[in-house]
Amino acid sequence: MSRAETDARTGAESAPAGGTGAGAAGRAGRLRRSLGLFRSELGLTFRRRRTSALLGVLAAVPVLIGVAVWIETGDGGGAGGPGRGGGPAFFAQITNNGLFLVFAALAATLPVFLPMAVAVVAGDSVAGEAASGTLRYLLVAPAGRTRLLLAKFTAVCAFCLAATLVVAVSALAVGALFFPLGDVTTISGTTVSFAEGLWRAVLIAPVVAASLTGLAAIGLFVSTLTGSGIAAMATTVGLLITVQILGTVPQLSAVHPYLFPHRWMSFSDLMREPFLWDGIVRNLGLQGLYVAVFGSAAWARFTTKDITA
């Protein structure tokens, strides 16, 4: 980030609210400054070339899946139904309805690609600015460390949603290009209209994004522990891989329900008729617990840390 951009961010934060700053005017001024800080953090996150590269890779995954399925089935005309064998139910249905590519792409990217992208962005959120020398200069302005940390976490959560939407939109475009669209057969065996299926896809995207908030909080905490962006990103990705490995060890089944990726695939319950909310609610509750614990740890570390860079 350039010195001019840093000046703009600190300038927006140090602008007075006007008047005495008391009452409604004072609250409105604080709200404007908070929104200004969030916008600056959001712009900083999405202007980085690394972020664009990550979103580009995520957009390419549904393309690769769609092309592979289309080649496998010859012309994508529906010959690759469940009878072909192999792959999850979402993949078996792609040739019959391109909308299923959205669900298949999210199921394929959620275990690896999406969380790794979030781990990189979250790990770099604080440590990256410390490494570039802008964090201490930013804190000269009366933004407040709590407000700054909250803005950074909110920006990472916005990236979670943006990354999920990139996968979903790319998959929908590829599915419509290579395969037919029509009524959707749910996991329960019932049939709903294409509009209803599309609505379910729209509903699934924020659920998947919310599933990544626990990892985002972990990455933010790790980012407050070091002044090296690369070290923070590598540590967060390493923790992600370690937890996923632990989730595959049968001897540790007692702890599996407490691991943040355990219920990531619960979004598939939105493809049942009627919806099954139990797994989704448990997943969101687990993510909320991780956000509370690691968000508090990040706040405690960041608000007491001696910023030297």
Side-chain angles (χ1 to χ4, degrees):
M1 183 176 60
S2 67
R3 178 66 176 267
E5 290 173 323
T6 307
D7 289 342
R9 294 169 68 192
T10 57
E13 281 303 300
S14 58
T20 62
R27 289 192 296 270
R30 288 192 294 270
L31 178 60
R32 284 195 301 270
R33 291 194 295 274
S34 297
L35 291 176
L37 180 60
F38 169 66
R39 285 195 298 267
S40 69
E41 290 298 331
L42 200 63
L44 178 66
T45 299
F46 285 93
R47 281 197 303 268
R48 287 172 173 159
R49 293 181 179 179
R50 179 173 55 249
T51 302
S52 300
L54 291 171
L55 293 177
V57 170
L58 291 173
V61 173
V63 177
L64 295 176
I65 295 174
V67 171
V69 173
W70 184 77
I71 293 175
E72 173 67 17
T73 58
D75 59 1
R84 301 275 305 211
F90 288 154
F91 285 83
Q93 291 288 344
I94 291 175
T95 52
N96 299 321
N97 193 332
L99 183 60
F100 272 93
L101 184 57
V102 176
F103 312 127
L106 289 173
T109 56
L110 187 52
V112 180
F113 296 101
L114 274 171
M116 281 196 173
V118 172
V120 168
V121 173
D124 190 55
S125 56
V126 176
E129 290 217 55
S132 64
T134 59
L135 184 58
R136 186 176 184 179
Y137 185 74
L138 179 62
L139 290 177
V140 171
R145 295 193 181 197
T146 299
R147 191 187 304 172
L148 177 61
L149 191 68
L150 183 60
K152 287 185 175 295
F153 178 69
T154 307
V156 175
C157 290
F159 174 81
C160 294
L161 180 59
T164 304
L165 290 176
V166 164
V167 173
V169 172
S170 175
L172 181 60
V174 174
L177 179 63
F178 286 100
F179 307 104
L181 298 176
D183 293 345
V184 177
T185 302
T186 67
I187 296 176
S188 304
T190 59
T191 301
V192 298
S193 66
F194 173 77
E196 172 69 15
L198 187 60
W199 160 245
R200 292 179 185 231
V202 172
L203 186 60
I204 283 173
V207 171
V208 172
S211 299
L212 299 168
T213 55
L215 175 61
I218 293 173
L220 186 68
F221 170 63
V222 172
S223 190
T224 64
L225 299 178
T226 177
S228 170
I230 294 177
M233 289 185 285
T235 302
T236 307
V237 171
L239 288 173
L240 168 65
I241 295 173
T242 300
V243 170
Q244 289 182 318
I245 292 175
L246 293 177
T248 65
V249 179
Q251 290 79 5
L252 298 177
S253 58
V255 302
H256 287 175
Y258 304 101
L259 301 178
F260 60 85
H262 182 66
R263 298 184 183 275
W264 275 354
M265 300 303 294
S266 62
F267 76 86
S268 62
D269 288 340
L270 293 177
M271 285 302 298
R272 301 182 186 276
E273 185 63 39
F275 293 162
L276 296 182
W277 290 103
D278 184 64
I280 296 173
V281 171
R282 288 176 180 271
N283 174 46
L284 298 181
L286 182 63
Q287 304 309 318
L289 178 62
Y290 271 86
V291 169
V293 172
F294 286 94
S296 298
W299 174 82
R301 170 63 176 169
F302 188 63
T303 53
T304 59
K305 182 179 180 180
D306 183 19
I307 305 298
T308 58

